[in-house]
Amino acid sequence: MQRNTGVEELTVDVAAIRQILAQYGRIAVDANSLRKDSDLYESGLTSLATVNVMLALENHFDIEFPDAMLGRKTFSSLESIADAVAELVR
């Protein structure tokens, strides 16, 4: 079983994730200024806003996050969100 490292298999539209984060994340910084590994919680993402981001991601990518992915780690950065979405769109 190959492990997804998030580098070679990352085909998720990070620009779409940024747009969703900007619209629903209620973060204190411009989503376009964030690096892929920037800590979104340090940028102002709250648990309530995370739910809104998750719902928007599910709608946009036509996926459903399983309970096991509904943790802070999944939504901690653009990169971690993209990795999770990439795993679910397969």
Side-chain angles (χ1 to χ4, degrees):
M1 178 175 187
Q2 282 189 322
R3 183 170 177 245
N4 179 7
T5 61
V7 177
E8 67 277 3
E9 295 181 29
L10 186 62
T11 59
V12 173
D13 184 1
V14 176
I17 295 172
R18 278 184 198 278
Q19 183 178 3
I20 289 168
L21 186 62
Q23 187 172 0
Y24 298 98
R26 300 181 188 156
I27 56 176
V29 299
D30 179 6
N32 292 316
S33 69
L34 295 170
R35 294 185 328 266
K36 287 183 181 180
D37 63 346
S38 294
D39 187 316
L40 298 179
Y41 293 100
E42 285 182 10
S43 300
L45 187 66
T46 65
S47 57
L48 178 59
T50 301
V51 173
N52 293 329
V53 168
M54 179 201 68
L55 293 172
L57 289 166
E58 287 181 335
N59 186 49
H60 180 83
F61 291 103
D62 194 26
I63 57 173
E64 184 174 333
F65 285 91
D67 290 346
M69 284 188 168
L70 298 181
R72 188 177 178 103
K73 182 180 175 185
T74 300
F75 299 94
S76 64
S77 69
L78 288 167
E79 186 173 48
S80 63
I81 294 171
D83 287 345
V85 170
E87 187 175 323
L88 295 171
V89 296
R90 287 187 214 167

